[in-house]
Amino acid sequence: FEAVKAGFAGQKPLIELDRNGRFLRAHTDRPAPVNATTPNDLHLLAFDPSDGRIVRFSIPFWLLRRRPANATIDLNGNRMDLEDLRLTVDDLERYGPAVIVDHSAPDGQRILVWAK
């Protein structure tokens, strides 16, 4: 987790979640970086302390543009959609490579989502 975050030093995630993992606020009103490049992939890294496993997931960015409107990512019964995070693919393109979510839950679960 820390190695991935080091590639985005000083960058605040686009989305903040509350301690229970529910949407709190989006920071899509911040200025986009100058000369931002379109990300190639959307990545997810998740740790579940109950089984001690780290799950890695990547999806090509072009596929986000072509997904059905109701497509979701399901992680152990936890469903996530860009609309749930108040993000659009256009937002991700505008900000370029960025940390989208960096969340640590009280029970030790950890989720990091980024575009690169």
Side-chain angles (χ1 to χ4, degrees), residues 16-89:
E16 282 185 64
L17 304 178
D18 69 13
R19 64 185 314 248
N20 297 315
R22 292 184 300 256
F23 177 84
L24 191 59
R25 72 183 57 88
H27 296 283
T28 53
D29 56 348
R30 73 182 187 204
V34 177
N35 300 326
T37 58
T38 299
N40 292 316
D41 300 291
L42 183 70
H43 303 273
L44 179 135
L45 191 59
F47 174 70
D48 183 351
S50 66
D51 64 9
R53 288 186 4 187
I54 293 178
V55 175
R56 290 171 170 77
F57 177 83
S58 296
I59 185 168
F61 196 81
W62 62 265
L63 194 55
L64 292 174
R65 282 256 175 238
R66 295 180 177 22
R67 71 174 183 80
N70 61 352
T72 60
I73 298 169
D74 191 333
L75 295 168
N76 251 358
N78 295 319
R79 304 181 98 192
M80 181 177 70
D81 196 320
L82 287 178
E83 287 81 15
D84 295 335
L85 298 174
R86 316 276 198 303
L87 275 180
T88 65
V89 174

